Amino acid sequence: NAGVTQTPKFQVLKTGQSMTLQCAQDMNHNSMYWYRQDPGMGLRLIYYSASEGTTDKGEVPNGYNVSRLNKREFSLRLESAAPSQTSVYFCASTASRRTDTQYFGPGTRLTVL
Amino acid sequence: AQSVTQLGSHVSVSEGALVLLRCNYSSSVPPYLFWYVQYPNQGLQLLLKYTTGATLVKGINGFEAEFKKSETSFHLTKPSAHMSDAAEYFCAVSEGWNYGQNFVFGPGTRLSVLP
């Protein structure tokens, strides 16, 4: 099993450009998440999808949109990138229960100039 | 809303010394608690978790943590640090879907191990 995969690994954008971060998991998990990681702030939840067909906002959703394409894939879109969105983005998934472990992808390092 | 605090953004220990990373949480319901480790340029991976039952939880790489309800704490320890333990450590709490998000992470503690 590959676990959770993310593409791309690195990306540089100019202010105002758009892009989509891709995430896929092969563990048949129901729930998927997008986080951003900034120094000294831990991980902050952007959006999550409790199950296929549902998405909900997390702590910092502004400037982002998501699509749960199917059970395996959960994408994050930046419509008009801003320097404040420079961060490392992680996708994660869990089976569904509160006790379940979250499995993380390797991350996407995004720089917005 | 639940929150997680980790005392000390950076902890340094000598190789072979005790590792103690602190985590306190606030929660209105019994929490489920997790410790994750992040090595440089990698994603997070689970070290250990507390759900129910025994309050002393053993994890991978010789780490363990004890859930103390009266102190709302879940500190992470390892008797003898190894150079390979140098990483960032995150404590997290899971409360359930009705709160709008089910995992809240602390800010992290970077562990350095000195030779």
Side-chain angles (χ1 to χ4, degrees):
Chain A
N1 285 352
V4 180
T5 57
Q6 292 182 236
T7 56
K9 285 187 166 54
F10 301 94
Q11 185 70 49
V12 178
L13 293 177
K14 295 181 180 178
T15 297
Q17 288 185 317
S18 63
M19 77 162 296
T20 300
L21 282 66
Q22 306 287 354
C23 173
Q25 52 89 11
D26 62 1
M27 296 172 283
N28 200 35
H29 283 169
N30 290 314
S31 305
M32 298 185 73
Y33 309 76
W34 276 105
Y35 293 93
R36 60 178 290 173
Q37 183 179 31
D38 302 291
M41 304 189 74
L43 277 77
R44 293 182 292 169
L45 184 67
I46 305 171
Y47 272 93
Y48 68 97
S49 171
S51 60
E52 186 179 356
T54 69
T55 60
D56 285 285
K57 295 179 181 179
E59 182 184 356
V60 288
N62 291 346
Y64 305 95
N65 285 300
V66 290
S67 294
R68 184 73 183 267
L69 303 170
N70 47 54
K71 192 171 186 179
R72 289 188 64 248
E73 298 172 289
F74 188 39
S75 62
L76 178 72
R77 183 160 177 83
L78 287 70
E79 291 290 351
S80 179
S84 61
Q85 294 178 304
T86 293
S87 187
V88 181
Y89 292 85
F90 289 99
C91 178
S93 69
T94 68
S96 66
R97 299 169 301 177
R98 287 176 52 197
T99 54
D100 290 325
T101 300
Q102 279 196 324
Y103 292 87
F104 285 81
T108 295
R109 188 172 296 274
L110 175 67
T111 301
V112 183
L113 302 175
Chain B
Q2 67 273 35
S3 67
V4 177
T5 57
Q6 293 181 239
L7 186 63
S9 59
H10 187 202
V11 171
S12 292
V13 300
S14 298
E15 191 173 19
L18 171 71
V19 175
L20 170 60
L21 304 181
R22 300 178 186 274
C23 172
N24 289 87
Y25 67 90
S26 68
S27 174
S28 58
V29 298
Y32 296 150
L33 297 158
F34 302 75
W35 275 101
Y36 285 85
V37 61
Q38 183 182 31
Y39 298 103
N41 300 315
Q42 294 186 25
L44 281 70
Q45 56 184 279
L46 182 73
L47 268 180
L48 50 80
K49 65 180 179 182
Y50 168 78
T51 55
T52 58
T55 56
L56 182 62
V57 181
K58 294 187 186 299
I60 62 171
N61 301 337
F63 283 93
E64 62 183 36
E66 186 171 12
F67 169 56
K68 293 187 176 180
K69 184 178 179 181
S70 60
E71 298 177 8
T72 61
S73 69
F74 191 55
H75 301 331
L76 181 71
T77 60
K78 181 174 180 177
S80 177
H82 192 273
M83 297 295 289
S84 61
D85 295 327
E88 188 145 22
Y89 293 80
F90 293 93
C91 183
V93 61
S94 166
E95 272 197 351
W97 299 108
N98 292 341
Y99 296 87
Q101 58 188 58
N102 72 335
F103 283 87
V104 174
F105 286 83
T109 297
R110 182 168 299 280
L111 176 66
S112 297
V113 182
L114 308 174

